[in-house]
Amino acid sequence: MLALDGIAKVSGRTTPAPLVDPFARAITYLRVSVTDRCDFRCVYCMAEDMTFLPKQDLLSLEELDRLCSAFIAKGVRKLRLTGGEPLVRRGIMTLVSSLGRHLQSGALDELTLTTNGSQLQKYAQDLANVGVKRINVSLDTLDPDKFRAITRWGDLHKVLDGIEAARAAGLAVKINAVALKGVNEDEFVRLIEWAHGLGMDLTLIEVMPLGDVGAGRLDQYLPLSMVRAGLAQRFTFNEIDYHTGGPARYVRIAETGGRLGFITPLTHNFCESCNRVRVTCTGTLFMCLGQEDAADLRKPLRASESDDLLYTAIDEAISRKPKGHDFVIDRRHQRPAVARHMSVTGG
Ligand code: SAM
Ligand code: SF4
C-alpha cells in the first residue's frame, strides 16, 4: 500500500494524472521483466553464452512491487510479469501474491504472466489462488527433439505437464509460438489442433530483430502473411472482434472452434494502437520495444520514500513515447534493430 499512501499524502488527490502519450494513446498496460535470467536459451531470444546482470543490480521484490503500484496508481489496468523466465526469480510468488491486492481493490483488471512453462507444475495452483486468471505459455513445437534444439536446454514433457497443471488449476492458457523458418513451419496445423482441442487459444508471432543471438535473422524470419495464406487453404477463418489488450489480431477457425492470433510486428505494424510500456528488472523503462530510448526509474524510486519523483520520471518518459518501431528483416537488414535481447524487456 506504500504507493497509494504516498499519493494521498503528497498530492492530496486520490489518483495522480493518468498516462497519455504524445499521440493521445492512453498507457494502461505494463509489462515487467522481473529477471533477465532463464532456464532456457531459445535460439531466437538469447545467445548461447549469455552474460546476465549481477544480482545486486536487480530491483528487490519490494521495489518491483512499489514500481508496479505506482503505474497502477497512474492508470495501468493490466500488468504482465515476464522475463527472462519470471518463475525462476527467487521469491516470485511473494511479488505476485502482493500485487494480487490490486485485483481485490479493483485498481487492476488483470494480473498475468508470460512463461516458458518449465516451473508451472510447481506454481500453477499458487498463481490461481492469488487471482491470476490467464497466462501465456510459450511453446513453438510439440516435437521433443525440436523443442530441445530451439530452447537449447528445455524438456518438452516438463512444459506439457506444466500446462496440464495450469489447466487443472483453472487458469486459461494461451499458447504463443514464434514462427521459425524451416523449424516449425510444418507444425502449425498440429499446434492449432492440439491447442484448440484442449480449449486453448494459439498465437503465432513473427521473429523480431532484438539483440545479437548469433544467427542471421533472415534465416529465422517467416512472414506470417505467408503462414496465414497457407493455413487459410486448410481452415476456414472467421474474423472476430476479440482483443486481449495486446497486439494480436484474432480469427476463429470454423473447423476447430478455437481462436488463432497473429502478432505481426514486421508484416503489419500495430503501433498505432499501442497502449503499453515495459520495465526491466533494473527499473529501466522502455517506452517502445523496438527503440533504444529509455528512462531510469531506479534512481527516483530509491531517492525518496514518497512516489512523487517516480511519478514525475514516469510522466516525463511517457511524454517521449515514440510513434512506433522500425523493424525490418531483409537481405540488407539482418542486424538487430536494438542491441538488447528480448529477455531484457520481456515479450
Ligand atoms: N521466458 C518467458 C517465455 O518464454 O514465455 C517470458 C519471456 S520471453 C522473452 C517472452 C516471449 O517473447 C516468448 O513468447 C518468446 O517466444 C518471445 N520472443 C523472444 N525473443 C523473440 C524474438 N526475437 N522475436 C519474437 N518473439 C520473441
Ligand atoms: Fe527464456 Fe523465454 Fe527467452 Fe526462451 S523466449 S530464452 S524461455 S526468456
Side-chain angles (χ1 to χ4, degrees):
M1 302 293 160
L2 241 176
L4 293 178
D5 291 349
I7 307 160
K9 199 165 49 199
V10 173
S11 63
R13 288 179 281 136
T14 46
T15 47
L19 299 170
V20 180
D21 81 358
F23 304 94
R25 297 172 297 193
I27 306 306
T28 55
Y29 184 178
L30 177 68
R31 295 188 176 200
V32 183
S33 175
V34 296
T35 173
D36 64 331
R37 288 167 196 254
C38 186
D39 49 347
F40 294 175
R41 295 285 183 280
C42 300
V43 291
Y44 48 80
C45 178
M46 293 192 183
E48 192 160 10
D49 55 342
M50 290 288 285
T51 310
F52 295 109
L53 293 163
K55 289 209 169 114
Q56 67 267 21
D57 285 5
L58 266 58
L59 295 185
S60 67
L61 295 171
E62 292 75 17
E63 286 172 327
L64 281 170
D65 185 310
R66 201 178 135 204
L67 197 54
C68 292
S69 302
F71 274 94
I72 293 166
K74 287 189 76 62
V76 159
R77 306 285 313 173
K78 177 169 173 174
L79 188 60
R80 178 177 298 280
L81 303 183
T82 174
E85 173 48 41
L87 296 180
V88 302
R89 169 98 195 227
R90 192 187 297 235
I92 184 66
M93 278 316 300
T94 315
L95 176 65
V96 185
S97 143
S98 159
L99 290 170
R101 73 186 185 276
H102 296 298
L103 292 169
Q104 279 157 21
S105 75
L108 200 58
D109 293 331
E110 186 169 29
L111 175 59
T112 184
L113 260 97
T114 301
T115 171
N116 65 23
S118 69
Q119 311 297 314
L120 270 178
Q121 258 189 305
K122 184 169 165 197
Y123 288 120
Q125 191 59 56
D126 293 345
L127 291 171
N129 291 348
V130 299
V132 173
K133 298 257 183 299
R134 301 190 306 148
I135 55 169
N136 290 355
V137 180
S138 306
L139 180 66
D140 308 318
T141 176
L142 289 169
D143 177 319
D145 295 331
K146 251 192 230 177
F147 186 81
R148 190 169 292 280
I150 294 174
T151 59
R152 292 191 179 107
W153 298 350
D155 176 356
L156 175 67
H157 292 108
K158 210 169 159 197
V159 172
L160 293 178
D161 289 347
I163 291 172
E164 235 0 85
R167 296 176 62 240
L171 296 172
V173 177
K174 178 168 81 89
I175 303 295
N176 281 339
V178 176
L180 295 165
K181 186 156 82 184
V183 177
N184 61 0
E185 61 187 304
D186 57 345
E187 260 198 274
F188 298 136
V189 170
R190 184 177 176 206
L191 276 167
I192 290 169
E193 286 172 345
W194 167 75
H196 290 180
L198 294 175
M200 304 185 291
D201 291 347
L202 173 73
T203 295
L204 301 178
I205 305 174
E206 277 174 346
V207 78
M208 288 175 258
L210 299 178
D212 190 347
V213 290
R217 289 295 185 185
L218 201 57
D219 296 338
Q220 299 181 330
Y221 173 50
L222 182 60
L224 282 184
S225 46
M226 279 170 57
V227 173
R228 187 175 172 144
L231 290 172
Q233 307 276 323
R234 163 89 180 230
F235 295 115
T236 315
F237 290 169
N238 293 318
E239 298 292 335
I240 47 171
D241 189 23
Y242 173 72
H243 299 281
T244 60
R249 287 173 303 137
Y250 285 90
V251 295
R252 189 174 294 285
I253 297 190
E255 289 79 1
T256 61
R259 280 186 294 244
L260 177 65
F262 296 93
I263 299 186
T264 55
L266 286 111
T267 53
H268 181 273
N269 181 311
F270 39 70
C271 300
E272 71 278 1
S273 58
C274 184
N275 58 352
R276 63 204 145 261
V277 289
R278 295 170 164 84
V279 180
T280 71
C281 55
T282 55
T284 304
L285 174 65
F286 284 95
M287 289 72 86
C288 173
L289 181 62
Q291 305 284 357
E292 300 282 9
D293 190 23
D296 174 26
L297 299 183
R298 186 171 55 182
K299 206 165 161 206
L301 182 78
R302 290 185 174 167
S304 144
E305 279 189 16
S306 141
D307 288 328
D308 258 14
L309 293 176
L310 194 52
Y311 292 145
T312 307
I314 295 172
D315 283 336
E316 201 276 323
I318 299 299
S319 76
R320 305 200 310 264
K321 183 167 160 67
K323 196 165 182 189
H325 64 70
D326 314 303
F327 292 145
V328 182
I329 298 178
D330 63 20
R331 283 190 195 293
R332 283 182 302 123
H333 302 86
Q334 294 204 50
R335 297 293 311 147
V338 292
R340 64 182 185 277
H341 292 89
M342 187 73 150
S343 49
V344 174
T345 41

